[in-house]
Every structure is written in structure tokens, then in C-alpha cells.
Amino acid sequence: MPTRGSANPVPGQPRPKDLRHDRSWGLDRRAGTSERLDDVDQRLLTALAEDARIPNNALAAKAGIAPSTCLTRVQRLRERGVIRGFHADVDPARAGHPLQAMIAVQMRGTARTRLSAYLQRLAELPGVLNVFLLGGAHDFFVHVAAADSDALNDFVIEHLSTDPDVALTETNLIFQHARAGWY
């Protein structure tokens, strides 16, 4: 019987990835995997992206399937991780945060092993709408909403510039934003 860490995998099963030699630093790499979706799944996703509160019978009609099939299909899409959740699209300006910015963050070389943890920490900060881990000159783009320029300045100083792992920040104001229609 193979033991943990043994070179002999279970017959018929894929060999487990050896994490000791993984250079991904624990980052979520799901972007490289995709689910096979048929036309019905595509229609369901399109309709849900337009209105996540659409009643099941209306969703089924848009997809051209029975309501019971629709429930099963949506549940399966959620279980497979294709649908990650349902969210309210809140207008930051009407919610008291009219100033939006995209902040580029470059980390110090010594912080490279903590990028995933830093991404999660950024996502939990007040006013953060989105965080993107990047390849290229910057390590992150942080999309924030603030009440005014003083609040934005305070955010950058308190949460980014004073962090010893941060080498550089660059703040770009967002004048207009349009939500894309793709899913």
C-alpha cells in the first residue's frame, strides 16, 4: 500500500502535484481551467448576468428549458464554480463614495512569497471594490471608492504607503466607468 508522499500513485488516479516544487506561491490558478458549457448554460449565464434576481420560470423561458431543468442546471453551475455568487450592483457614488480610483501597487522583492495573502488583505479593506493580481510592472491594481480626495489620500497612506512590503503606489482617478455586458 502506498504511503503518503510515496512515488507510487493509486492505479487509475492522477499523480498528486508535488507542492514542494510549486512556484505558484499558493496563488489561486483557476484561470487556466475552464468548464465545458453548452448553449443552454451560456443562455443561463447571460440571463443571470443581466438580472441575477430573475425568477426561475422566466430564466427557464429565456433558456428554452423546463423550470425543473433550469433549477438543476443553475445548481450544477454553482457546484462546479462557474457561478461564484449573486451580487448587488451598488453605485458607489449614490452610496456616499463618489470618488473612484485605480491604485497600482508594486511590492518589494522580499514580499513575493506573500502575494496571495496580501491580495486577500487588500480585498478586506474598507472602500475596496476589486483587487487584481497582475503580471507586469505592477503587482496589483486596487479599485477603490472614497467619499472625497482626503479619504482617498488617507486610504493610500494608511493602508498602502506605510506598509513595509509596498515599494510603490500610483493612484489614477476614474472619471467614468461602464459595466461590461459579458457575463
Side-chain angles (χ1 to χ4, degrees), residues 91-101 144-149 174-176:
D91 182 339
R94 292 180 185 230
H97 295 87
L99 183 63
Q100 291 187 52
V144 300
D148 53 34
S149 60
I174 298 172
F175 295 121
Q176 292 184 11

Side-chain angles (χ1 to χ4, degrees), residues 17-121:
K17 186 175 183 180
D18 185 355
L19 296 177
R20 292 173 296 174
H21 302 293
D22 182 14
R23 301 221 185 264
S24 69
W25 299 301
L27 301 177
D28 186 1
R29 300 278 183 174
R30 282 182 277 179
T33 63
S34 63
E35 295 287 329
R36 187 170 288 279
L37 303 174
D38 63 16
D39 290 342
V40 172
D41 290 335
Q42 297 288 351
R43 288 192 301 268
L44 290 170
L45 292 173
T46 299
L48 287 169
E50 290 172 4
D51 180 7
R53 296 182 59 173
I54 186 171
N56 183 64
N57 58 348
L59 179 60
K62 282 190 172 210
I65 57 178
S68 60
T69 303
C70 184
L71 279 173
T72 303
R73 288 271 193 143
V74 171
Q75 180 180 4
R76 188 172 40 190
L77 289 167
R78 290 185 72 196
E79 289 169 354
R80 291 167 47 198
V82 176
I83 297 175
R84 296 183 296 188
F86 301 92
H87 310 279
D89 185 10
V90 177
D91 182 339
R94 292 180 185 230
H97 295 87
L99 183 63
Q100 291 187 52
M102 190 68 71
I103 305 168
V105 179
Q106 186 177 37
M107 306 298 286
R108 297 192 188 283
T110 57
R112 298 280 178 231
T113 59
R114 298 183 297 280
L115 292 179
S116 185
Y118 193 73
L119 176 111
Q120 292 304 316
R121 194 171 82 202

